[in-house]
Amino acid sequence: FMHTLYEVYEESHNLSKVLGVGLMAAITSMIYAPLVLLLPFIWIAFLVYRSLQWREWLVALIGFALPYIYLATYYFWMDRLAEIATLYTGYFRDILVFRVTMDPVQLGIWGIFSLLMFLPAVFRVSATLGGFNIAFRRRMAATVWMAVFGAIMIVSPGDIFFNNLVY
């Protein structure tokens, strides 16, 4: 996903890659629903890349919507569209309700471990950031935004539990 998103910046005619990024985001969000936040991340990456072409934004939206249109058509044919729509609506209604179900000590250990893994990498990259070209700096900015959205996606299911932190 990220490699394809990086390639969007490198090529001038990249609508097929933008469509692929939208499709990948939609398919992964069907497996793990909080990944629906990848669509706003794609748009923020376009802003970081200074890509203000409306076609790329629209193609990403179409790529994201296409698997859901196919899924809705399937459930419509199976006469289960209303049932599934109720499940999706119920899930996304409470998606921003945060409850911590882990022991605070265990949560602290995970937080310290994450910081110990993340901070040296950030310091190493930021120390050499001035020497790299603009494309590298934009990719790094997109990666930082992905880390921010990743943290939001971890806690967005409403409960923080071990399986979300592992994946």
Side-chain angles (χ1 to χ4, degrees), residues 49-119:
Y49 291 161
R50 306 258 194 289
S51 174
L52 301 176
Q53 297 178 7
W54 63 272
R55 282 181 285 160
E56 290 180 357
W57 294 62
L58 184 63
V59 167
L61 180 64
I62 290 170
F64 192 82
L66 198 59
Y68 281 103
I69 291 170
Y70 287 141
L71 186 66
T73 303
Y74 170 77
Y75 283 127
F76 178 75
W77 281 342
M78 296 297 145
D79 218 13
R80 295 183 58 205
L81 185 61
E83 173 188 344
I84 298 301
T86 304
L87 288 174
Y88 267 89
T89 306
Y91 178 78
F92 287 110
R93 181 185 54 223
D94 295 332
I95 197 167
L96 294 178
V97 176
F98 300 113
R99 291 178 300 268
V100 178
T101 57
M102 288 178 68
D103 181 35
V105 173
Q106 186 180 13
L107 190 61
I109 290 171
W110 273 104
I112 291 170
F113 176 73
S114 298
L115 281 175
L116 289 176
M117 296 302 288
F118 185 68
L119 285 178

Side-chain angles (χ1 to χ4, degrees), residues 137-159:
R137 286 185 290 215
R138 289 189 178 167
R139 282 191 215 117
M140 285 304 299
T143 305
V144 168
W145 276 107
M146 181 62 187
V148 169
F149 273 83
I152 293 170
M153 287 183 264
I154 286 173
V155 298
S156 64
D159 290 330

